[in-house]
Amino acid sequence: MIVELGHFALILALMVALVQATLPLWGAQRGDARLMALAEPAALMQAVLVAASFGALTWAFVVSDFSLIVVVNNSHTLKPMLYKVAGVWGNHEGSLLLWVLILAVYGAAVALFGQGLPTRLKARVLAVQGLIGVAFLAFLLWTSNPFWRVDVPPMNGQDLNPLLQDPGLAFHPPFLYLGYVGLSMAFSFAVAALIEGRVDAAWGRWVRPWTLAAWIFLTIGIALGSWWAYYELGWGGFWFWDPVENASFMPWLLAAALLHSSIVVEKRESLKAWTILLAILAFGFSLIGTFIVRSGVITSVHAFANDPERGVFILMILGFFTGGALVLFAARAGVMEAKGVFAMVSRETALVANNILLTVAAFVVFVGTIWPLVAELALGRAVSVGEPFFNAAFTPFMVGLATILPVGAMLAWKRGALGRTLRGLLPALALALALGALAFAMQTGRSALGPVGLMLGAWVVLGALTDLWARTGREGIGARLARLSRLPRADWGRVLAHGGLGITIFAVAAMLSWKVEDIRVVQLGETYPLGRYEVRLDEVHEVEGPNYVSTMGRMTVMRNGAVVAVLSPEKRVYPVAAMPTTEAAIDYGFLRDIYLVLGDRQASGGWAVRSYIEPFANWLWGGAIIMALGGVLSLTDRRYRVAAGARRGAVGVPAE
């Protein structure tokens, strides 16, 4: 009965979404307040209905209701409860329902918290959001219904993909979807503004918090996925330029560009057309990511589906929304005339450079991701685009971004003084260069990537701190320190976000440049060197888990004879899914991780072992966390809330 109610709620949600997508839009066009007023209750009702449907599916997974095909294919009675719940979105149908739920929740958030929005604009935003809901609810019900039944329910299920049975990946998809789907709000605001024919400073302020929220969630989701890949796959890396990784990274880059360009719209009423275009493209790339994950056209270790029919449906959605928005963008080009002018040396110019670097970097990643598909279709050849291409093509844009970021953040609006700004940054530049030179002098026989990464990372972090200090005035140190606590949260948030980026840049360079790797066959009781450490394989034994069987090693890590850590790497086999997984054993440290992976037993009686020293690995996750915290801090600044300042921004414009 509960699952039937969930199915019925999903059908009702589609009907409500149809009402939300049509009547308020028609009412805004005619100036009919009663029709426009339908947008808010429709958005709230759609969210309630989809939440009820999602709750029903979750209940089916928790109680192991094997009358549903999706539960049979992705659950098992012996699976731990965490992974029963995670199994709800650990598959195509359930994850798509989560996608639709988040979409509906964003619409409900506009209905509840968008009190400062003009009535017509709000009705149009909610109508566009409702139209996206119609498309995905139809896709869900017609091709990917999570409530499809089996004729004869089995006694047990086929279990969830073992790679997904991990805490990191249990939380990774929800955060990622909150970011993906959050960009639909920027898209809805962009389309609504184009329909209305007005893009102004108030619009820039309204769209910023939604874009910032999406960027925060994407940052957390990508970091969780990277962390999972680091410790779960056992490959000794944190990023592999996998198509699904790229599918989330491209919208993140475009969201970062949109976030910065909307600042120019708000402050100077410039870059209007570019910002609208970025809003369309950012959501378009989210849809492209959905297509990559669910169509099966590109193989990935964590793709959800391999169904051309579903892929065609998603392509139709992508074509309708992205193509339709671009046509509307072309038709409304005249309403996006820039008002503010600025000199070549100004913060506006720096933000334009920022946008160019981010968007071209996203395009490079896109080309590298789809080129194997294009080559196969057009040339009939199987082509692989791997890490060397992405590193060589992508890195220069990040170097350029890191170089201009501290300078651009301190330049004045409209017309800046480059010499004065650089003089203020001289101590930061000198210290960054000194750190890079020190690292280069200390390393032997390695590339310059590590020292350059340290120099750029330090330049970004120290530049952000210099920017913060410069905002406290020119009085005594005591007065300036007191003023630090009174600075707006947005200033602190920007410094944290930029500082987190600098830490991440350094950590990536350090892990790529200073990593120590050792692959060998080790006999029981044998000790071998690993950098400054010695590692001994003590024993290998069998362990039975709740739904798996594990071959577990016990390895002792020593330094100068003293025990540093005792680690237990594993190879697990999940009998129900008939799939093995590798569980790396990691000794986490502030400056380095010791990373051990147990392989197969060899004919000689020894065991294949891969060992790594990963320098500054935790700094990578720490940098991502600091970036996200900076975004959260900025989001709490009242100037960037949806309603804050909205009416002030719309002075002289009737609320209708």
Side-chain angles (χ1 to χ4, degrees):
M1 174 63 75
I2 291 179
V3 294
E4 294 298 344
L5 289 175
H7 193 182
F8 185 61
L10 206 56
I11 296 171
L12 281 179
L14 175 59
M15 297 178 180
V16 172
L18 279 168
V19 172
Q20 180 183 335
T22 53
L23 295 183
L25 197 62
W26 179 245
Q29 190 66 29
R30 296 182 56 190
D32 190 328
R34 292 174 299 175
L35 292 178
M36 288 189 286
L38 290 173
E40 292 184 23
L44 294 171
M45 181 58 67
Q46 185 191 163
V48 170
L49 289 169
V50 178
S53 181
F54 188 82
L57 184 63
T58 303
W59 180 87
F61 270 85
V62 168
V63 302
S64 298
D65 183 353
F66 295 119
S67 68
L68 294 182
I69 295 176
V70 69
V71 180
V72 173
N73 292 337
N74 298 280
S75 192
H76 192 275
T77 53
L78 295 179
K79 192 167 64 173
M81 182 57 67
L82 171 63
Y83 305 128
K84 285 187 176 183
V85 175
V88 178
W89 54 80
N91 59 87
H92 168 69
E93 293 82 3
S95 66
L96 191 59
L97 181 56
L98 176 63
W99 209 104
V100 174
L101 172 63
I102 294 171
L103 182 73
V105 168
Y106 271 110
V110 173
L112 288 173
F113 304 115
Q115 303 304 320
L117 294 171
T119 306
R120 285 192 178 181
L121 179 63
K122 186 176 184 179
R124 287 177 171 131
V125 168
L126 289 175
V128 176
Q129 197 75 2
L131 189 60
I132 300 171
V134 169
F136 277 93
L137 283 166
F139 176 44
L140 185 66
L141 286 167
W142 290 340
T143 73
S144 313
N145 196 325
F147 295 102
W148 278 333
R149 298 277 195 164
V150 293
D151 294 331
V152 180
M155 293 297 294
N156 221 322
Q158 299 175 14
D159 207 359
L160 179 67
N161 183 339
L163 284 175
L164 305 182
Q165 296 187 38
D166 179 86
L169 214 61
F171 298 103
H172 161 64
F175 277 104
L176 210 56
Y177 291 173
L178 284 165
Y180 267 148
V181 184
L183 291 173
S184 68
M185 288 308 312
F187 176 85
S188 295
F189 270 94
V191 172
L194 289 173
I195 295 173
E196 192 164 293
R198 184 171 69 235
V199 181
D200 54 15
W203 179 88
R205 174 163 291 188
W206 290 321
V207 80
R208 277 188 69 192
W210 300 106
T211 305
L212 180 57
W215 180 85
I216 292 168
F217 288 125
L218 270 176
T219 302
I220 297 172
I222 291 171
L224 283 173
S226 176
W227 180 50
W228 169 81
Y230 172 69
Y231 72 80
E232 176 65 23
L233 295 182
W235 297 345
F238 59 91
W239 193 263
F240 306 100
W241 296 106
D242 178 272
V244 176
E245 290 178 325
N246 295 347
S248 60
F249 191 46
M250 290 182 290
W252 184 87
L253 292 169
L254 291 172
L258 174 59
L259 191 60
H260 289 85
S261 67
S262 64
I263 299 173
V264 183
V265 176
E266 178 190 347
K267 300 290 187 182
R268 302 287 301 145
E269 293 208 35
S270 295
L271 302 185
K272 294 180 182 179
W274 174 247
T275 303
I276 291 286
L277 182 60
L278 274 179
I280 295 170
L281 291 178
F283 182 59
F285 270 84
S286 292
L287 295 179
I288 289 173
T290 303
F291 171 75
I292 289 174
V293 173
R294 301 173 191 278
S295 65
V297 297
I298 296 178
T299 303
S300 167
V301 70
H302 37 359
F304 274 122
N306 186 10
D307 188 341
E309 180 186 352
R310 292 169 176 171
V312 169
F313 205 120
I314 297 172
L315 275 181
M316 292 171 60
I317 294 174
L318 172 64
F320 176 79
F321 285 103
T322 307
L326 290 175
V327 169
L328 183 60
F329 173 81
R332 289 288 197 173
V335 305
M336 294 179 286
E337 182 180 356
K339 293 183 179 179
V341 294
F342 50 88
M344 181 62 70
V345 178
S346 63
R347 188 176 300 184
E348 292 94 328
T349 300
L351 289 171
V352 169
N354 160 291
N355 272 224
I356 292 172
L357 289 169
L358 287 170
T359 51
V360 175
F363 179 72
V364 167
V365 175
F366 175 68
V367 170
T369 303
I370 68 164
W371 182 248
L373 177 63
V374 173
E376 185 174 354
L377 292 176
L379 306 176
R381 293 189 303 173
V383 177
S384 176
V385 178
E387 186 175 348
F389 165 80
F390 287 106
N391 287 344
F394 180 80
T395 301
F397 298 103
M398 291 301 99
V399 171
L401 182 67
T403 301
I404 67 170
L405 194 153
V407 180
M410 293 187 63
L411 282 172
W413 292 101
K414 192 174 181 179
R415 184 182 298 275
L418 184 60
R420 182 187 303 171
T421 302
L422 289 176
R423 282 195 297 272
L425 285 166
L426 276 178
L429 178 61
L431 184 53
L433 289 172
L435 288 171
L438 177 63
F440 187 79
M442 292 178 64
Q443 72 175 25
T444 55
R446 295 181 182 271
S447 72
L449 177 62
V452 170
L454 175 57
M455 182 183 67
L456 286 174
W459 166 242
V460 173
V461 172
L462 295 171
L465 294 174
T466 302
D467 179 25
L468 189 70
W469 184 248
R471 293 177 183 276
T472 61
R474 297 180 177 275
E475 301 176 17
I477 292 181
R480 298 182 74 174
L481 289 173
R483 191 169 295 172
L484 272 177
S485 63
R486 299 195 298 270
L487 288 176
R489 292 180 184 177
D491 288 346
W492 281 99
R494 183 183 65 255
V495 168
L496 279 178
H498 289 177
L501 176 63
I503 293 171
T504 301
I505 289 172
F506 162 64
V508 168
M511 292 181 73
L512 294 177
S513 180
W514 298 330
K515 178 178 183 175
V516 176
E517 180 177 359
D518 182 275
I519 302 175
R520 66 175 67 211
V521 175
V522 184
Q523 302 290 332
L524 290 178
E526 180 183 349
T527 300
Y528 63 93
L530 179 66
R532 297 176 296 172
Y533 301 91
E534 304 88 39
V535 182
R536 183 179 67 234
L537 177 60
D538 296 321
E539 64 172 334
V540 179
H541 57 282
E542 300 294 321
V543 176
E544 187 170 341
N547 62 334
Y548 62 84
V549 177
S550 169
T551 301
M552 180 182 293
R554 185 164 66 86
M555 305 181 71
T556 302
V557 180
M558 299 167 288
R559 184 175 180 185
N560 299 326
V563 175
V564 175
V566 177
L567 302 176
S568 300
E570 300 179 63
K571 285 186 67 67
R572 293 180 181 177
V573 176
Y574 291 75
V576 176
M579 182 175 177
T581 66
T582 300
E583 303 292 324
I586 306 173
D587 178 43
Y588 295 98
F590 183 69
L591 298 179
R592 59 92 187 112
D593 287 352
I594 298 176
Y595 186 108
L596 303 179
V597 180
L598 181 69
D600 296 323
R601 187 166 189 173
Q602 306 299 300
S604 62
W607 294 82
V609 175
R610 285 184 287 123
S611 311
Y612 306 93
I613 296 178
E614 301 280 3
F616 299 98
N618 288 321
W619 290 45
L620 178 61
W621 328 126
I625 292 171
I626 291 171
M627 278 194 283
L629 286 176
V632 171
L633 194 59
S634 292
L635 200 59
T636 61
D637 192 315
R638 68 176 303 275
R639 296 180 302 170
Y640 302 111
R641 296 174 192 159
V642 175
R647 296 191 183 280
R648 291 196 305 273
V651 170
V653 178
E656 301 177 66

